[in-house]
Amino acid sequence: QDLRIGDERIALPSHGTSLAVQRLQSGVALVGSCIYRHPPKEALQLGVLLTTPRLWLGNEELVDFAPLDPRLRERPGRAGDPIDRKGRIAPGVGGGSLRGAVQESAARSSVDLLDLHQAALLLESADEAGAIEAVRLLGRVVSDEEGALSEPAREVLRRAAAAPFLAVRRLAFVTLAPVEREARVQATLRRFLAAPGVLLDGDTRTALCERTLSDARLLAFVEETRDACRGEEGGRGRERRATALLKFLADYGASHPARYRSLRAFLVRTMLFGGRASIRHEAWRALDDLVAGFRQWLGPMARIAVDPETGQEYRWDNVVAFDDDVPAPDRDRLLGAIKNTVVLREALFLFSGGAIPGLGDIPPGGVWIRPLGAHHGKAVYRITVQTRFQGSHDVAINVNHERTPQQVREEIQWLVLCGEPGGRDPLVEDFGGYWPEHDLWSEEFIPGDALDRTLKRQARLGDDERFRQIWPFFAWSALAAHVDFWNRTGRKLEIADPAMSNVIVPSHDYHTGARIVSIAALRPHEGLLPMLRFFRESLIGPAEAAYPQLAGLVRWDGLFAPLLEVVGEDEGSRMLREVLHREDDAGTPEFRDALRAFLEGIESRGFLPMRLHFAVSRYRRWAALSGEPTPQARARTVQEFWETYDLDRLASSYPETRARFFLETVFEHSPAPLARGLEEIVLRLRRGELVGDALLDAIAELRAGVPVDPDDDYFLARLSLPYLRPEDAAGFVRAAAAGRPQNEIVVTQEDHDGGAFQVRHALTPKEVGRLHRLFLAAKLDVRFRPEHQYLVAVNDRGILIGGIYYEMEDEGRSAHLEKIVVAERYRKKGVADGLMTEFFNRIRAAGASTVTTGFFRPEYFYGYGFTIEKRYAGLVKVL
């Protein structure tokens, strides 16, 4: 009733103010000094604009229109989400008075939203000096990333991408990038880069390199660089953006040595696979700058040191000792490189977790060099460095004899790519650095025997049964390493020498990490089937010829499985189907039959990755030798194998892993109806239909629908709740709720007096009502909602004695614990502890990683591991 509607204005007569309001087009409106986009079929609510800081900050006409208390200018809720502020209709006025107000705010110990509003006005004005003052104030606010005003200040800084002054844009970006919301960094970077002028000039890169970017923020820069370098068509703006980003990554990697290896790998990959020749050339230059900057950071190597024990001077000649088998010319080159470069400092830093010993850290005689072998036109030496206080380290040095510069460069490039840090296991020796003036390069030294020596050792043991059992694992590991190399080279190159002497495999099937010894000899890839045949002829065939007892154990499917292990089930199956459907390239009838059977098995039952395959095999061997083990013994063995083979790592790529493992082990001989039901659960997991608690529900429904003996019931409970120990008592209960049967798993616990009680979810509305009465009796005001879940404790007479109600949040990644209650006569007996422990276990099993709760009785929840963190309201516990 206070408002008066005029011609494209709204007036507030009681305060003598008015506000421009104009519909520009469908879903676009002018309100005050700014333009907003909103859902076309919805009203643009004035109350939302007035109480959402990101919408009113910098809109002076809107702020002046309604003189509200600052506390009323920010309301909780998400009503403003569909509305975007598109910008001002004209630059702000700026001026000395506004600049003085911002400077005064900066001098105070605390600021409020209206101070940010003045900074926003100055930032979007035609006053360059004032805009820089505004950025500095905003920078002070966002330095506390999780402060109350941080997000509004970030929002204002994002607007600087449209500022008319390049200096303002650069300063705002340097201020914002290290504290920007990780999910928004790439979009923010793209907006700033799209503005005219070179954003990342030398000074800006230097300023940004002085800050530390989190992994996610740096990854956003890498992804934006990758996008700018893609494609065969560039354009001047795209080329300029890609060049600036490549230079920044080189500068950042040199300034932050912990990022050096990953950024070096990215630049090498861009140099090899960049979409345009100009980009590949710029990546090469950036790589040179990165290496030079990193070596400058390492600092020079001293030539003279003083022995702290004797007080005598000594030099590198006194430190380095050679084996008699090292030829004189190589001695001179190795010693010259060690004396005149930082080859050792570089290698030790990269291979030993950051150690940078100088000459004074190594005692006389502390460097021992001995040959490892000579092949492919180079000699390889092992250098052992014994330091005074930083332990002993080994590196390998390759001394070139006959390889051309092009061959050396290519070998080094593939070493860098195949040793790229990330989620994958290392495949080759990690690369240190190349020193062209001495024509040598450093690599990680990898201990362990090559496959040929490993097989000889196994054969000498005389246990043919053990030899036959371990050989398929050796073959799978070795073949997967060769397939992995082909995959990491963009599926362009293969190891030309896939012999047993050129691969190191783990000695036990529960280990991972096969390594290729040398990638000096490569050959172009000519097709999937020729590659598989080549591996069979060069690796499997010679092994079977040398050890006849292994013949026939690795068939064609033993080559198909490593392919899927590396490229994934879907991609690998597609590639194999293409081979099968090409009649001219489908191989022999034996090959076609084996491939068809393999693909049919994958289609019907899924793929068993290597660790899962050998965990199942080991369990079956144990079960056959142990006669009739008890359910507790079988459960303990299953859990031990699960942990030893690290099967949890497979869950992200193969969500059916645990169900498949149980099906292939403890349920191997179950009745057909139960086995069919479990197969269906495995398939639903593979299709992504069962997530979180849905698996538990599916198992409970299966158990209710088929006959189940006590042993199978025991293992169904452990499949449902992985945290159950072999000795824990657990089972299923069935009740009718809302006219339909409901199944739930029950865990039995004991209180401090030895009395048994059960923990499970509430099964009926009556139980929820009883829990509500417990809370009321404890004088706890609670409000149950449909999204709440209820975990209850029931005594041996079926009486509800306590409970928790909670809500799953963030798509199942977190849970919010509302309240916990225990009936008065059961308090201080351990019932609450049992409820909390089972609650944590269940939500962890459902996929949650954190639990939050309100700041009520914090001292009570501290005892359960809850803490205060600035990112969360109330209390949080990380599971």
Side-chain angles (χ1 to χ4, degrees), residues 635 638-639 642 655-667 674 677-679 681-682 685 690 692-700 702-703 711-725 730 732 745 845-846:
V638 162
Q639 187 60 29
W642 179 268
E656 74 276 14
T657 297
R658 187 170 179 84
R660 173 61 71 188
F661 184 47
F662 271 62
L663 181 58
E664 299 289 343
T665 54
V666 293
F667 292 116
L674 178 59
L678 288 171
E679 283 283 6
I681 286 175
V682 168
L685 285 166
L690 298 178
D693 286 339
L695 172 61
L696 192 153
D697 296 338
I699 292 172
L702 170 63
R703 186 256 181 203
D711 280 6
D712 286 335
D713 218 21
Y714 175 88
F715 286 108
L716 284 173
R718 278 147 185 82
L719 175 56
S720 303
L721 300 178
Y723 58 85
L724 289 176
R725 299 170 301 175
F732 292 84
I745 194 165

Side-chain angles (χ1 to χ4, degrees), residues 89-271:
I89 53 173
V93 176
S97 60
L98 186 58
R99 193 188 314 164
V102 168
Q103 290 171 341
E104 182 182 339
S105 299
R108 294 201 305 268
S109 59
S110 62
V111 297
D112 61 21
L113 280 169
L114 290 178
D115 294 321
L116 297 190
H117 169 62
Q118 292 176 324
L121 292 174
L122 203 51
L123 183 64
E124 294 183 296
S125 73
D127 181 354
E128 181 175 10
I132 289 175
E133 292 286 348
V135 171
R136 288 173 179 152
L137 172 62
L138 295 165
R140 196 189 97 193
V141 176
V142 299
S143 62
D144 177 8
E145 291 188 45
E146 304 300 332
L149 297 181
S150 295
E151 186 54 32
R154 276 191 286 263
E155 173 61 32
V156 175
L157 282 170
R158 291 175 193 131
R159 299 175 188 173
F165 307 109
L166 183 56
V168 174
R169 295 200 298 272
R170 287 171 175 167
L171 180 60
F173 183 73
V174 169
T175 304
L176 177 60
V179 296
E180 175 63 290
R181 293 291 185 197
E182 292 183 343
R184 298 195 59 164
V185 176
Q186 192 169 355
T188 297
L189 173 59
R190 190 166 293 172
R191 285 186 61 202
F192 274 86
L193 287 171
V198 178
L199 176 73
L200 295 172
D201 67 330
D203 290 342
T204 305
R205 296 198 305 268
T206 299
L208 199 52
C209 287
E210 291 173 355
R211 309 287 296 275
T212 297
L213 300 175
S214 67
D215 290 344
R217 292 177 180 121
L218 181 59
L219 181 61
F221 277 85
V222 171
E223 289 299 324
E224 184 62 19
T225 309
R226 181 180 285 116
D227 182 70
C229 294
R230 261 192 206 108
E232 297 180 1
E233 298 296 329
R236 186 175 178 182
R238 190 178 175 87
E239 291 287 325
R240 189 168 61 242
R241 183 162 67 250
T243 299
L245 286 165
L246 288 168
K247 288 181 177 179
F248 166 71
L249 293 181
D251 291 349
Y252 192 85
S255 304
H256 298 263
R259 314 285 194 179
Y260 172 74
R261 289 178 60 238
S262 60
L263 292 177
R264 179 179 66 179
F266 173 76
L267 292 176
V268 169
R269 186 173 296 280
T270 306
M271 188 175 70

